[in-house]
Amino acid sequence: MAVDLSTTIAGVKLPNLLLNASGVNCRFENELQQLVESKSGSLITKSATLNSREGNPEPRYAPLAGSIGSINSMGLPNQGYEYYLNYAKNFDYNNTAGKPLFISLAGLSLAENKTMCEAFRDANLPCVLEVNFSCPNVPGKPQVGYDMEAMEQALQVLDPIIGRPFGIKLPPYFDIAHFDQAAAIFNKFDNVVFVTCINSVGNGLAIDLDSETALIKPKDGFGGLGGLLVLPTALANVNAFYRRLKPGKQVIGCGGVTSGKEVFLHILAGASAVEIGTQLMEEGTGVFERVQKELVELMTAKGYKSVEEFRGKVKTL
């Protein structure tokens, strides 16, 4: 039985619904090329700021014992938006794999986001923009995604500048009222056609038992949690927005994917595409081929021929 893993995001076709989580294997051109050559269905760049950033001091990423996930406080290390704009200008949009390009922007202010969005608008490229409102690891910079008023004001400025379908990267929400408030904001903007849920769960603390020391250096060891331990939070956010967003708006799931099983669960919760972060960091780009194979086997065993057949159809008691 042939299984169709293709999907469409922001009107752009992806040959399969898997891609990297922004921030993993996507800071430099050689890393992005590895994603092009992998079995991913698309790729997204590292979240860009106006100017290049080295990010927080090392060590700033660590896997957690027992393969339950990871902790990081990267601090937005990136090459500056012009580096990714140039990459987008030279990207082969007719590549044989049929992969589209997503560009992530994470200005440290609304003015920065405005400048970057204007530059991409003026370049008029077929890449898809994602504005990151959820950077939990930049000291002194709160997440816009947790300030509903600031988020709506930012979209009022950025939506007409971008002027075509784009998405938003979101932090995890933990209160039903926040799901309601955020979705109501996104539903006001026709160009906001997808949200990516979730960025890492902010400000966890992992401590090594033997040395009695925090695992990472920045922020006194506080960092964003990712990997398998955040799966239930990711699924809740995916499903919450799947239920609340207007028809035509989609959710990209991110968080907790180690195998085809978790991808299946993200789709069941409502995801139209699924990103892999921690597991990509630990395993490398071969993860896409493995997870894709596992997903096909699972769907075949359940009798599903396409992801559309079970998207958002999680049963409740």
Side-chain angles (χ1 to χ4, degrees):
M1 181 180 74
V3 172
D4 182 9
L5 296 183
S6 68
T7 190
T8 300
I9 301 289
V12 177
K13 177 112 182 236
L14 284 64
N16 73 71
L17 78 169
L18 300 178
L19 68 157
N20 64 301
S22 177
V24 185
N25 215 101
C26 58
R27 179 179 173 187
F28 301 105
E29 282 194 33
N30 66 305
E31 294 175 334
L32 291 162
Q33 183 58 32
Q34 291 170 7
L35 292 170
V36 171
E37 295 170 0
S38 77
K39 295 297 184 181
S40 72
S42 57
L43 61 154
I44 185 166
T45 58
K46 171 67 183 175
S47 291
T49 49
L50 194 66
N51 301 306
S52 63
R53 290 174 55 90
E54 285 302 309
N56 293 339
E58 303 273 4
R60 57 193 185 187
Y61 168 89
L64 301 177
S67 301
I68 61 169
S70 64
I71 185 168
N72 86 86
S73 181
M74 302 300 289
L76 276 177
N78 73 94
Q79 301 309 101
Y81 86 96
E82 290 180 332
Y83 180 91
Y84 305 103
L85 176 58
N86 187 61
Y87 179 80
K89 288 178 178 177
N90 293 294
F91 185 77
D92 179 10
Y93 294 95
N94 296 311
N95 61 85
T96 54
K99 296 185 183 186
L101 174 66
F102 290 78
I103 298 286
S104 179
L105 303 176
L108 299 178
S109 67
L110 179 54
E112 278 199 15
N113 274 329
K114 184 172 179 287
T115 297
M116 294 189 291
C117 288
E118 287 171 343
F120 275 91
R121 175 202 61 194
D122 294 346
N124 194 28
L125 301 168
C127 55
V128 179
L129 295 185
E130 177 187 87
V131 181
N132 186 346
F133 284 157
S134 59
C135 298
N137 300 314
V138 179
K141 295 289 183 181
Q143 298 187 56
V144 175
Y146 286 145
D147 185 334
M148 299 294 168
E149 187 176 346
M151 188 160 62
E152 183 166 3
Q153 289 173 349
L155 288 173
Q156 287 171 347
V157 173
L158 300 178
D159 180 89
I161 291 173
I162 297 171
R164 62 182 187 181
F166 71 100
I168 304 167
K169 179 73 170 282
L170 295 175
Y173 295 106
F174 304 98
D175 195 299
I176 297 297
H178 294 155
F179 292 133
D180 293 339
Q181 291 165 12
I185 291 170
F186 307 143
N187 283 335
K188 294 179 182 180
F189 298 92
D190 290 341
N191 286 328
V192 176
V193 296
F194 70 90
V195 297
T196 302
C197 305
I198 56 173
N199 207 328
S200 57
V201 176
N203 296 311
L205 177 63
I207 303 171
D208 178 70
L209 178 63
D210 294 331
S211 67
E212 303 177 10
T213 306
L215 292 188
I216 59 174
K217 183 174 182 177
K219 294 171 60 181
D220 295 321
F222 282 62
L225 303 176
L228 198 54
L229 81 168
V230 307
L231 179 65
T233 300
L235 294 177
N237 278 258
V238 167
N239 191 243
F241 284 107
Y242 176 79
R243 292 174 183 272
R244 287 166 174 78
L245 293 177
K246 285 181 178 178
K249 295 184 187 292
Q250 299 171 289
V251 183
I252 296 179
C254 182
V257 174
T258 64
S259 70
K261 182 183 82 170
E262 293 85 28
V263 176
F264 186 94
L265 295 177
H266 267 280
I267 300 165
L268 200 62
S272 292
V274 180
E275 297 180 349
I276 305 177
T278 295
Q279 194 63 33
L280 171 59
M281 180 78 89
E282 294 300 310
E283 186 176 336
T285 55
V287 68
F288 293 109
E289 184 171 13
R290 175 180 65 80
V291 169
Q292 196 175 145
K293 180 172 178 287
E294 292 168 351
L295 178 60
V296 167
E297 289 173 351
L298 182 55
M299 288 172 59
T300 300
K302 286 178 169 286
Y304 292 120
K305 295 182 180 178
S306 79
V307 294
E308 302 296 336
E309 292 178 12
F310 62 99
R311 175 177 294 119
K313 294 184 178 177
V314 58
K315 300 167 188 171
T316 56
L317 301 178

